[in-house]
Amino acid sequence: MKQTKIVCSISDRRCSTEFLRKLFFAGMNVVRMNTAHATQEGMMQIIDNVRAVSPHIGILIDTKGPEVRTTGVAEEINYKTGDVVKIFGRPNMDTSHDIINVSYPDITKDVHEGDDVLFDDGALDMKVISNEGPMLIARVMNDGKLGSHKSVNVPGEHIDLPALTEKDRRNILFAIDQNIDFIAHSFVRNANDVKAVQDILDEHHSDIKIISKIENQEGVDNIDEIIDASYGIMVARGDLGIEVPVEKIPGIQSMIIRKCIEKKKPVIVATQMLHTMIENPRPTRAEVTDIATAIFSGTDAIMLSGETASGKYPLEAVQTMSKIAEQAETDRRKVHDLDFPLAKDCTLREFLAHAAIESTRRLGVAGIITDSETGQTARDIAAFRGPTPVLAICYKEKTQRWLNLSYGVIPIYQKEHVEQQFLFTAALRMLRQKGYINADDNIAYLSGSFGEGGGTNFLEINRVRDIFDNSSSFKLPRHDRP
């Protein structure tokens, strides 16, 4: 019954159909594959098993994006506060205690004296005390350890890396070949980074949707152009919490969610939402509040990472997140009800979507039904964050999977193009069978009068009982589909 969608990270080391089926029935809507930790063979296994469980589960693949990592080490290195080390941009040389090599050859061009260089998601901090051309000299600021291929962050500096690595390009082509639904592009800094992915998709005539991951200050600063260039946004709080002061994360998260809703774009909140459930069967109170806060702000989706990819309690994590989401949605309607007003320059489709949501509040409409080729009308309805379910009849199977990231939308795939009258009454029966509506409820229906491509141009509201009692004479204001 939850309306917030759940994205689960899945590893090829734990992706059996039985396991995926349990997560699906517990509330998982989209599977995420992290290319940093999987081969194409491993991802192929995940894809096959997900589709064996249900063709309706969305599949999302990450790119690495413009990130910097350390090179390999023979064994984990221990550092003490005050140690002095040299940092080189030599991606093909291993790292030792006194010399740290990183994957970015030109690191000395972008990092300056006084900068902090953070390793392994900030676990190890080193301050640059001098830049000596081919190398940086840095002092260790805290006791810590460094393993192989750990993240490198330099808060406040622009690292002049290309938007895509060669591995990213290979994985994008793999995603196109496998007809994957979403690409989550990492470390997006501006609209050009999104365009680098979109150009490859366009070249291969792919309709894969791009989710831009906001993980640094540049991404925050350019958020408006990034939203406009993307299908949706992921607030990736892991690296973001290293790149910007951690106390700013809640405000940035709320700001991005609000902007995405206003622009009718799906938004995902990710990282450490139930982190303790990697090792423990129950969450902390702070984690429960964190999830509820994201839902109170209006996020479309929330994501589990290590909790489902490698944690000890993956099923319990999804079940827990679903329960928290359902309760938070109920509480929000009582205490934190969101108001997303209609823009003055709205389209007809947006006006009718807003009217449908208003009808749930003013006329007691218990459910909304729409049909769609692209999913845009359903996304417009979702953006107003109504209290009732939105049943979206999708004429493309992929549209159904795209809508798995939109709040409150129950997407169903209609394989055959049949008479609109039949679709509408079939959708009503489904909502009744699932307990969403009863015979005395009012139901709203949004569609178009001119068939495919004509656009949404009418909203009709009727009582469920009246529709079934007068099924022989009840007509929708729509011509036959071509």
Side-chain angles (χ1 to χ4, degrees):
M1 299 295 286
K2 68 175 175 63
Q3 293 183 276
T4 307
K5 304 303 176 68
I6 294 178
V7 181
C8 295
S9 301
I10 299 297
S11 165
D12 58 340
R13 285 169 287 200
R14 185 168 62 185
C15 66
S16 69
T17 55
E18 180 182 4
F19 173 70
L20 293 168
R21 187 173 289 109
K22 288 179 180 178
L23 299 189
F24 179 47
F25 286 116
M28 175 181 74
N29 303 101
V30 174
V31 163
R32 172 205 175 215
M33 301 185 298
N34 187 348
T35 58
H37 303 293
T39 63
Q40 288 192 0
E41 292 75 16
M43 290 188 288
M44 195 68 248
Q45 183 181 1
I46 296 172
I47 294 166
D48 288 344
N49 289 355
V50 168
R51 288 175 175 162
V53 170
S54 172
H56 307 148
I57 301 172
I59 301 178
L60 178 151
I61 185 173
D62 277 3
T63 63
K64 289 177 63 179
E67 68 170 356
V68 183
R69 288 190 174 268
T70 61
T71 60
V73 300
E75 59 183 28
E76 199 169 52
I77 302 170
N78 290 297
Y79 287 97
K80 295 291 185 182
T81 303
D83 287 349
V84 176
V85 303
K86 299 173 182 177
I87 302 173
F88 287 88
R90 299 186 297 202
N92 297 320
M93 296 182 67
D94 284 346
T95 288
S96 62
H97 182 279
D98 296 333
I99 297 177
I100 297 176
N101 289 301
V102 301
S103 60
Y104 178 40
D106 295 326
I107 190 165
T108 57
K109 293 182 180 180
D110 297 334
V111 180
H112 305 93
E113 183 178 330
D115 285 340
D116 284 292
V117 182
L118 305 178
F119 298 91
D120 194 10
D121 295 335
L124 183 63
D125 181 8
M126 298 187 188
K127 185 171 287 292
V128 177
I129 56 179
S130 69
N131 184 325
E132 301 188 3
M135 66 180 175
L136 305 169
I137 308 297
R139 179 175 288 112
V140 178
M141 304 303 292
N142 64 281
D143 293 356
K145 298 179 179 181
L146 185 64
S148 293
H149 307 294
K150 297 301 181 182
S151 62
V152 180
N153 296 87
V154 188
E157 295 290 3
H158 170 78
I159 304 300
D160 192 21
L161 282 165
L164 293 170
T165 66
E166 284 307 311
K167 182 179 179 181
D168 287 336
R169 294 178 190 278
R170 291 194 300 271
N171 283 328
I172 291 170
L173 295 177
F174 170 78
I176 293 170
D177 288 341
Q178 299 305 318
N179 200 26
I180 286 173
D181 306 296
F182 307 100
I183 290 174
H185 188 29
S186 299
F187 297 98
V188 172
R189 299 162 295 188
N190 49 52
N192 285 334
D193 285 355
V194 185
K195 185 176 183 297
V197 180
Q198 190 63 58
D199 286 347
I200 298 174
L201 298 177
D202 291 345
E203 181 183 351
H204 292 83
H205 309 289
S206 171
D207 59 2
I208 293 176
K209 303 303 183 186
I210 301 172
I211 306 296
S212 292
K213 296 171 68 174
I214 305 302
E215 303 182 77
N216 51 41
Q217 186 63 53
E218 281 186 89
V220 175
D221 293 341
N222 297 317
I223 189 62
D224 290 310
E225 67 176 60
I226 293 171
I227 293 173
D228 289 341
S230 308
Y231 178 81
I233 298 293
M234 181 187 295
V235 187
R237 304 178 304 177
D239 280 278
L240 186 61
I242 300 166
E243 290 281 340
V244 305
V246 69
E247 66 272 13
K248 293 186 177 182
I249 299 300
I252 290 171
Q253 174 178 306
S254 295
M255 176 271 291
I256 292 175
I257 290 173
R258 185 81 188 191
K259 284 180 176 291
C260 287
I261 293 172
E262 288 172 351
K263 296 193 176 188
K264 316 295 188 294
K265 301 291 184 80
V267 57
I268 308 165
V269 175
T271 316
Q272 294 185 335
M273 304 215 78
L274 288 175
H275 189 69
T276 56
M277 289 193 73
I278 293 175
E279 297 290 339
N280 300 288
R282 285 175 292 278
T284 65
R285 278 64 172 170
E287 288 169 334
V288 173
T289 303
D290 179 39
I291 293 172
T293 298
I295 292 169
F296 290 159
S297 296
T299 188
D300 285 272
I302 43 186
M303 192 172 96
L304 294 168
S305 299
E307 299 93 334
T308 48
S310 59
K312 294 180 180 178
Y313 301 96
L315 178 60
E316 291 83 353
V318 179
Q319 291 170 333
T320 298
M321 185 169 264
S322 293
K323 290 177 183 177
I324 297 169
E326 188 174 345
Q327 185 62 51
E329 290 158 9
T330 301
D331 293 341
R332 188 184 69 194
R333 288 192 286 272
K334 295 176 181 176
V335 182
H336 302 272
D337 197 21
L338 298 172
D339 179 30
F340 296 102
L342 187 66
K344 291 183 179 179
D345 58 347
C346 68
T347 64
L348 173 60
R349 185 186 61 239
E350 290 168 342
F351 180 87
L352 293 174
H354 183 264
I357 296 299
E358 279 296 294
S359 74
T360 67
R361 298 187 174 114
R362 297 176 183 269
L363 302 178
V365 166
I368 300 170
I369 298 174
T370 188
D371 61 312
S372 184
E373 195 80 23
T374 67
Q376 188 57 59
T377 298
R379 286 191 291 273
D380 286 351
I381 301 170
F384 295 109
R385 298 299 190 263
T388 59
V390 178
L391 185 67
I393 303 164
C394 305
Y395 299 117
K396 288 170 54 179
E397 198 165 18
K398 220 169 186 187
T399 302
Q400 180 187 28
R401 298 197 293 268
W402 291 335
L403 290 174
N404 277 334
L405 282 182
S406 293
Y407 179 90
V409 178
I410 306 169
I412 59 171
Y413 171 51
Q414 173 57 41
K415 191 172 184 179
E416 301 294 335
H417 283 185
V418 298
E419 186 181 346
Q420 193 67 16
Q421 198 86 9
F422 171 79
L423 287 178
F424 179 57
T425 54
L428 279 182
R429 289 191 183 93
M430 195 194 94
L431 288 174
R432 286 186 66 182
Q433 290 168 358
K434 289 184 175 292
Y436 288 112
I437 60 173
N438 60 52
D440 292 318
D441 286 331
N442 286 326
I443 193 80
Y445 180 62
L446 281 84
S447 192
S449 301
F450 301 106
E452 284 184 23
T456 299
N457 64 3
F458 75 80
L459 165 65
E460 181 159 322
I461 299 172
N462 290 287
R463 194 171 67 144
V464 174
R465 186 187 303 278
D466 293 340
I467 294 170
F468 286 121
D469 287 349
N470 299 281
S471 58
S472 61
S473 59
F474 178 77
K475 298 293 181 185
L476 293 169
R478 178 166 183 174
H479 298 306
D480 291 338
R481 293 173 57 83

